[in-house]
Amino acid sequence: MKTSKPISTISFNTESFLRGKLRELEAAGILEFWAYIKHDPEPDEVGDEAGGKEHFHVYMEPAKMVQTTEVRAAFKEPDPANDKPRGCLLVEKSNFDNWYLYALHDSDYLASKGQSRCFSYDPAQIVTGDKDDLHSKVARIDVGSITPYIRMAQYQRDGKDFRSYVLGEQIGVRDIAAYQKAWQMLMSTGTERNGRPGHANEYTEPEPEARQMQIEDYPEYMPGGGEP
């Protein structure tokens, strides 16, 4: 795929190689911005492509049109312990706001995707070639437009139940199932991927379709407020 849009991948390189390669691509005028963060494997990742090992979520902004297969090939790193070199997964189109919130495992963001994780990360753990650019990008993130469940988190902190949230925020009947899934994930302390396998660029995938609940489950929405 040829693109000049932001791209991202998941790397299994050594950190020294990864950082050196990103700096090399930047010096060559191929990238104008990059950032990455190291993640530990979640409990459900043992045996998947990450192999239960630490890995890096990498975000890149090309300085010109690039071929993603060539970018991926650049990250092949000889591994003395194995015949197969280290490398990264498919390089895909990305978006900084979503990448950043997923990189931190922001609970509200994950809940908006019907997911949760055991581990969370601090912004200081993100490594980048230009901290000023990183801070500028973070400052421009409109969290409310990406994670519409911040109000949901507030309801939970106030000890209110899901019905109170639905009625108070006037959630449409056809959206209740999706919001209910997010409510449950927001309260969870485990790992939930909404049916997805271990590793993928999850922040690039579309949100799951909502299932429609029966209106009888919420009689307040029926004519007459549910009265016969």
Side-chain angles (χ1 to χ4, degrees):
M1 174 181 67
K2 285 188 175 182
T3 184
S4 59
K5 301 293 185 180
I7 50 179
S8 61
T9 188
I10 295 169
S11 164
F12 305 116
N13 298 108
T14 60
E15 185 167 7
S16 59
F17 180 92
L18 173 63
R19 185 170 56 249
K21 182 59 63 174
L22 290 167
R23 287 174 173 171
E24 178 184 316
L25 293 173
E26 182 179 25
I30 297 173
L31 299 179
E32 65 178 5
F33 177 81
W34 55 266
Y36 70 80
I37 188 170
K38 181 173 72 174
H39 277 192
D40 293 318
E42 293 282 325
D44 70 331
E45 288 177 334
V46 176
D48 76 354
E49 191 164 357
K53 300 177 182 178
E54 63 183 31
H55 47 276
F56 301 90
H57 289 260
V58 187
Y59 174 84
M60 299 167 279
E61 292 184 0
K64 60 183 179 181
M65 189 73 67
V66 298
Q67 173 59 258
T68 54
T69 55
E70 294 177 359
V71 174
R72 185 183 188 186
F75 289 94
K76 287 186 177 180
E77 175 187 2
D79 185 355
N82 296 284
D83 294 332
K84 183 180 179 180
R86 292 173 179 261
C88 64
L89 298 186
L90 289 174
V91 177
E92 301 177 293
K93 289 183 179 179
S94 190
N95 170 280
F96 179 78
D97 295 4
N98 286 272
W99 179 88
Y100 179 81
L101 293 172
Y102 181 84
L104 301 184
H105 280 178
D106 180 273
S107 61
D108 292 347
Y109 174 77
L110 290 173
S112 76
K113 303 294 185 181
Q115 302 181 31
S116 65
R117 295 292 186 275
C118 288
F119 305 135
S120 60
Y121 299 88
D122 189 271
Q125 293 175 265
I126 294 179
V127 179
T128 181
D130 193 313
K131 291 185 178 180
D132 289 337
D133 281 348
L134 175 64
H135 292 160
S136 177
K137 290 177 181 295
V138 172
R140 294 198 301 270
I141 294 177
D142 182 0
V143 177
S145 68
I146 299 173
T147 60
Y149 304 113
I150 292 177
R151 286 282 296 157
M152 180 183 290
Q154 185 62 55
Y155 272 76
Q156 292 186 359
R157 285 191 289 269
D158 291 344
K160 298 179 180 178
D161 61 14
F162 181 67
R163 183 180 295 275
S164 298
Y165 172 77
V166 169
L167 298 176
E169 298 302 309
Q170 300 182 340
I171 305 301
V173 173
R174 287 164 54 170
D175 297 325
I176 287 176
Y179 279 79
Q180 186 175 45
K181 178 72 171 179
W183 179 275
Q184 294 168 348
M185 290 306 100
L186 199 59
M187 296 183 69
S188 172
T189 58
T191 300
E192 171 60 48
R193 299 177 187 277
N194 200 19
R196 295 189 177 91
H199 252 102
N201 267 354
E202 292 163 279
Y203 34 83
T204 67
E205 297 176 3
E207 294 186 25
E209 293 183 1
R211 292 179 296 102
Q212 184 172 349
M213 294 182 71
Q214 298 296 319
I215 192 169
E216 289 81 3
D217 294 331
Y218 285 83
E220 292 89 345
Y221 283 99
M222 298 177 66
E227 296 295 329

